[in-house]
């Protein structure tokens, strides 16, 4: 992945008039089915969608807000499977053409500041960035454990993070950076992921 070519060169996303506008879970899953053929990637997006929703729920945000958090997580990598060189430009333009909530679109645009050149600003932006890599990392760890998620502990995940050969494609730097920006210790983020991650297509 080339860092410069994915730069979105934009700082504003969606239309403020569309604040609060969402598609249903069913519509979002249909989009996902159409765009994403890779089952592993689909699992990743379902996992991040679920973590985002659960986090918003833990903050007692209204159902409509929880749903927007869910959509941001669910759709953040929707174009990665078929159009990796247009990631995440294509999904952003799709959601803009559907006149959806600008905050949700912005969260997707800022889920990789090093690549897309968009700084995470809102809490939704920051949490999507924080959950993205960590969710994938914890899942990779679960797959190598005989008991999967059962009995998984934060210290086991931290040990794997220090082992640079394990899931080497996961950027430890981004995990640290995201935790700092979110103002949440990486240990707490790991614990949240262990507790709430879904393991199958739900
Ligand atoms: Fe991504
Ligand atoms: Fe992702």
């Amino acid at each position: 992945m080339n860092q410069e070519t994915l730069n979105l060169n934009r700082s504003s996303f969606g239309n403020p008039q569309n604040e609060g506008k969402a598609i249903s879970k069913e519509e979002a899953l249909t989009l996902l089915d159409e765009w994403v053929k890779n089952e592993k990637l689909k699992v990743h997006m379902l996992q991040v969608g679920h973590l985002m929703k659960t986090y918003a729920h833990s903050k007692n945000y209204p159902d409509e807000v929880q749903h927007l958090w869910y959509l941001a997580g669910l759709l953040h990598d929707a174009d990665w499977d078929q159009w990796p060189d247009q990631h995440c430009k294509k999904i952003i333009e799709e959601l803009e053409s559907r006149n959806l909530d600008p905050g949700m679109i912005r969260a997707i645009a800022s889920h990789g500041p090093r690549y897309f050149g968009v700084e995470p600003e809102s809490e939704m932006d920051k949490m999507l960035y924080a959950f993205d890599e960590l969710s994938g990392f914890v899942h990779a760890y679960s797959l190598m454990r005989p008991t999967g998620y059962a009995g998984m502990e934060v210290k086991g995940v931290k040990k794997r993070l220090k082992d640079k050969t394990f899931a080497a494609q996961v950027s430890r730097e981004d995990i640290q950076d995201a935790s700092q920006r979110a103002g949440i210790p990486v240990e707490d983020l790991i614990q949240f992921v262990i507790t709430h991650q879904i393991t199958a297509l739900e």
Side-chain angles (χ1 to χ4, degrees):
M1 189 154 66
N2 185 311
Q3 281 183 231
E4 269 122 66
T5 54
L6 292 181
N7 196 303
L8 292 164
N9 293 310
R10 293 170 59 178
S11 55
S12 116
F13 300 91
N15 185 332
Q17 287 178 342
N18 294 328
E19 199 183 318
K21 290 208 183 137
I23 47 174
S24 68
K25 182 177 181 176
E26 291 68 32
E27 278 175 276
L29 291 173
T30 300
L31 175 67
L32 207 67
D33 280 338
E34 282 168 6
W35 284 29
V36 186
K37 305 299 168 196
N38 177 333
E39 287 298 314
K40 279 187 191 165
L41 184 60
K42 212 181 269 184
V43 170
H44 167 64
M45 286 188 279
L46 288 160
Q47 288 178 325
V48 177
H50 183 75
L51 287 171
M52 289 290 284
K53 185 183 165 66
T54 307
Y55 188 81
H57 178 79
S58 77
K59 292 267 175 170
N60 291 318
Y61 294 153
D63 287 354
E64 310 82 67
V65 175
Q66 289 180 36
H67 183 60
L68 291 172
W69 281 58
Y70 172 71
L71 291 177
L74 185 74
L75 298 173
H76 77 281
D77 282 337
D79 51 16
W80 175 247
D81 194 21
Q82 296 191 62
W83 307 277
D85 54 338
Q86 292 185 63
H87 180 50
C88 56
K89 181 172 178 284
K90 198 170 163 67
I91 183 63
I92 286 168
E93 289 174 357
E94 174 69 23
L95 299 175
E96 285 179 324
S97 78
R98 294 187 185 210
N99 297 316
L100 299 181
D101 180 74
M104 181 265 289
I105 299 174
R106 197 187 190 288
I108 293 178
S110 64
H111 83 263
R114 282 198 295 140
Y115 304 106
F116 313 129
V118 182
E119 296 298 308
E121 284 168 1
S122 72
E123 189 186 22
M124 197 198 304
D125 296 351
K126 289 175 185 169
M127 293 315 294
L128 178 57
Y129 180 40
F131 283 138
D132 185 15
E133 293 281 73
L134 207 50
S135 169
F137 187 85
V138 169
H139 194 59
Y141 179 46
S142 82
L143 296 176
M144 63 153 289
R145 297 181 78 246
T147 56
Y149 281 88
M152 190 188 287
E153 291 183 55
V154 172
K155 63 174 191 243
V157 176
K158 288 204 76 180
K159 207 168 148 193
R160 288 292 152 185
L161 278 171
K162 286 195 193 103
D163 173 4
K164 298 283 185 276
T165 63
F166 179 78
Q169 79 286 4
V170 174
S171 165
R172 274 61 170 173
E173 225 178 283
D174 282 354
I175 289 176
Q176 278 308 330
D177 179 48
S179 135
Q180 254 160 27
R181 289 179 191 245
I184 303 175
V186 74
E187 291 79 7
D188 294 3
L189 291 168
I190 293 170
Q191 187 59 64
F192 192 90
V193 174
I194 293 174
T195 308
H196 299 289
Q197 183 117 288
I198 52 170
T199 55
L201 301 175
E202 285 177 24

